[in-house]
Amino acid sequence: MDSFLKKVDFFKGNKPEDIVKEYGTPLYVYNEDIIRDRMHKVTQVIKKYPLTANYSIKANTNIHILKMGYEEGINADAMSPGEIEMLLKAGFESDRIFFVPNNVSREEVEYAVKKGIMTSLDSLDQLDLYGQVNPGGKCAVRLNPGVGAGHHEKVVTAGKKTKFGIAEEDVDKIFEIAKKHNLTIAGINQHVGSLYMDPEPFLKAVENFLRLAKKFEKLEFIDFGGGYGIPYHKLDDEQEFDMESFSKRFEVLLDKFVEEYGYAPLFKTEPGRYCVAEGAVLLGRVNATKHNSGKKYAGTDIGMNVLVRPSMYDSWHDVEIIRDNEVVSRDNLSEITVVGNICESGDILAKDRMLPEIKQGDLACLLDAGAYGYSMCSSYNSRPRPAEVLITKDGQVKQIRRRETIEDLMRLF
Ligand SMILES: Cc1ncc(COP(=O)(O)O)c(C=O)c1O
């Protein structure tokens, strides 16, 4: 594909230079149609049995995006009281929120109980703490099924080498603690890792989890976690995750389980990335280009504080170059490294990439920036966080978060 921006008319006729003239760079630009489409799709994965898609909001907590999710019928996962507050502010009722924290304090557990939010406990200690705070209550447990998968070791969240969940061999201890505090274990959840393009590992994890589920009686819900991938290499024609064939195979596994278990509990998934990643691009200004010892660099104002994924996980984001509001064609490519403005040698957005010629003053546009983009921003080097704008269904450009200012940073002292 020569240009994703052109293929989907990402800016809906708006000129990128007009947008950044008004809101500055770096700038996250969201497309409402794409986000709504993906959010709707995750609610349709299983039709035969009751299913809730819990959007894992750590991927993107912008309240305007959460509201879209609410309207599309998704529920949500929160990892912290802060995320719960974001969801409540966006209009989510408590029973549409699932709290899936790890290593939380007594105060945080009390907070969730007071708000009436179903909570999953991620260790035996935390289950015991929950029992002390809410004896006779109802909760869930996060299990570590002993296998994990994902695009980078830092996103593998199950298996013998990770901190998450309660190991299978400790299931009996779950029942002991539940009995001690008269707790009902209403649900179980897992999340084995992120960014599956191949459904195989996810389906294997589902199968394994359903085997574990049978150790629990009268479950109200079973939550399989998130992880659906998106094609980050779309300019090289990488294809979308095949939701349709995945759904069919998922349903076959559920059929078998329902028959053996005797009824269908509510099934849940926790997609984060899939809902929002493709719905945003990140625009930055190329402030300088140079050669260093024969290597070409394009220096932008998109520092690793604005998008940390490439430096944290070696993640790939396709880059398109915009000059005078036109996407520069990919007919003539040469190797170049695109970097940010942070004082770290690891401040690299795209290493040794084949890209069109880049000139000072161009706009660099990083694709698929909607998930774990803004939500992982920092103000490192005292660079304020960027603004976010939304291209609405009818093509308006609406600011959905203002740019942070130096005064915002000073306010904490
Ligand atoms: C517990 C849990 N659920 C859901 C997710 C969402 O994963 P993804 O964005 O890959 O769908 C994560 C991400 O790490 C997670 O830790």
Side-chain angles (χ1 to χ4, degrees):
M1 183 194 309
D2 195 50
S3 167
F4 170 74
L5 296 174
K6 285 207 273 193
K7 185 180 168 201
V8 301
D9 186 18
F10 192 91
F11 300 112
K12 289 198 141 188
N14 293 284
K15 293 198 168 85
E17 287 292 355
D18 291 347
I19 301 174
V20 300
K21 191 166 171 210
E22 173 117 26
Y23 300 103
T25 56
L27 184 70
Y28 278 94
V29 184
Y30 295 87
N31 178 301
E32 180 170 3
D33 294 337
I34 299 177
I35 293 176
R36 284 189 186 272
D37 172 75
R38 302 305 189 272
M39 285 184 165
H40 176 70
K41 277 194 180 128
V42 295
T43 65
Q44 303 299 307
V45 171
I46 295 296
K47 299 219 176 77
K48 191 164 171 185
Y49 300 109
L51 169 92
T52 62
N54 283 14
Y55 166 50
S56 182
I57 78 163
K58 63 200 251 190
N60 192 311
T61 51
N62 188 300
I63 284 175
H64 299 267
I65 290 171
L66 299 182
K67 282 184 183 160
M68 284 185 225
Y70 184 89
E71 286 163 14
E72 295 301 329
I74 61 170
N75 286 8
D77 269 9
M79 306 288 155
S80 66
E83 287 194 351
I84 292 174
E85 287 295 318
M86 296 283 174
L87 284 162
L88 294 172
K89 178 98 183 165
F92 280 78
E93 297 82 7
S94 314
D95 62 359
R96 281 178 69 170
I97 304 174
F98 185 28
F99 186 31
V100 203
N102 67 94
N103 304 325
V104 275
S105 66
R106 176 180 287 267
E107 291 71 26
E108 289 171 313
V109 173
E110 283 168 353
Y111 165 86
V113 169
K114 201 163 142 218
K115 296 272 178 194
I117 289 169
M118 174 57 73
T119 300
S120 167
L121 291 313
D122 163 81
S123 66
L124 296 173
D125 271 1
Q126 296 256 281
L127 181 62
D128 192 59
L129 175 65
Y130 186 90
Q132 293 167 32
V133 171
N134 193 26
K138 221 187 230 192
C139 63
V141 286
R142 177 168 175 173
L143 301 176
N144 182 333
V147 286
H151 69 95
H152 188 283
E153 63 173 350
K154 288 184 189 154
V155 301
V156 175
T157 49
K160 300 206 169 14
K161 287 189 194 153
T162 77
K163 68 169 182 168
F164 296 103
I166 302 175
E168 184 173 350
E169 56 266 31
D170 285 334
V171 164
D172 286 343
K173 293 185 191 137
I174 295 175
F175 300 136
E176 282 167 30
I177 295 170
K179 197 166 166 207
K180 179 170 132 196
H181 298 291
N182 194 23
L183 293 173
T184 302
I185 305 294
I188 56 172
N189 63 301
Q190 70 167 3
H191 173 73
V192 298
S194 274
L195 192 44
Y196 304 107
M197 291 311 284
D198 170 10
E200 210 58 48
F202 192 98
L203 291 165
K204 281 227 162 71
V206 166
E207 199 170 6
N208 183 48
F209 202 49
L210 290 171
R211 176 188 60 78
L212 267 179
K214 285 186 228 143
K215 298 187 178 201
F216 292 77
E217 280 173 16
K218 299 192 193 133
L219 285 174
E220 290 175 24
F221 66 87
I222 299 176
D223 178 343
F224 299 102
Y228 308 141
I230 65 110
Y232 280 105
H233 291 259
K234 43 177 56 68
L235 295 183
D236 292 325
D237 298 320
E238 187 183 7
Q239 298 304 301
E240 296 277 334
F241 179 74
D242 185 351
M243 218 28 128
E244 216 173 288
S245 79
F246 167 74
S247 297
K248 281 189 194 134
R249 294 179 60 192
F250 195 3
E251 219 166 81
V252 171
L253 297 177
L254 298 180
D255 283 341
K256 184 165 176 282
F257 173 78
V258 170
E259 202 185 313
E260 290 166 7
Y261 202 59
Y263 66 94
L266 174 64
F267 295 115
K268 300 188 188 198
T269 56
E270 300 175 0
R273 179 190 321 275
Y274 186 87
C275 298
V276 286
E278 294 182 278
V281 299
L282 177 54
L283 287 176
R285 186 67 73 189
V286 178
N287 285 334
T289 63
K290 69 169 160 186
H291 282 80
N292 252 3
S293 309
K295 217 172 148 84
K296 261 199 292 183
Y297 289 92
T300 72
D301 57 6
I302 307 175
M304 62 193 285
N305 63 313
V306 176
L307 182 71
V308 76
R309 295 189 70 251
S311 25
M312 189 160 169
Y313 308 122
D314 293 324
S315 298
W316 178 285
H317 286 267
D318 277 332
V319 180
E320 296 198 31
I321 301 300
I322 300 171
R323 186 173 307 139
D324 300 331
N325 289 313
E326 295 299 328
V327 175
V328 179
S329 136
R330 293 171 53 82
D331 289 344
N332 253 325
L333 304 180
S334 64
E335 195 176 279
I336 187 160
T337 292
V338 184
V339 296
N341 53 2
I342 293 295
C343 192
E344 292 282 339
S345 48
D347 181 28
I348 296 172
L349 292 167
K351 194 173 180 197
D352 299 336
R353 281 296 172 83
M354 296 306 287
L355 291 174
E357 188 195 9
I358 303 182
K359 293 184 180 167
Q360 187 181 31
D362 288 347
L363 285 173
C365 179
L366 271 81
L367 305 187
D368 305 318
Y372 308 107
Y374 191 98
S375 65
M376 290 178 114
C377 275
S378 76
S379 55
Y380 184 42
N381 277 197
S382 295
R383 288 201 173 274
R385 278 169 261 248
E388 296 177 292
V389 298
L390 177 72
I391 313 279
T392 62
K393 274 193 263 189
D394 55 0
Q396 305 290 312
V397 183
K398 189 175 135 192
Q399 179 168 266
I400 55 171
R401 175 151 27 197
R402 72 162 170 83
R403 189 171 297 281
E404 201 171 37
T405 62
I406 300 287
E407 292 70 47
D408 290 328
L409 301 183
M410 293 293 184
R411 210 174 289 146
L412 300 177
F413 297 105

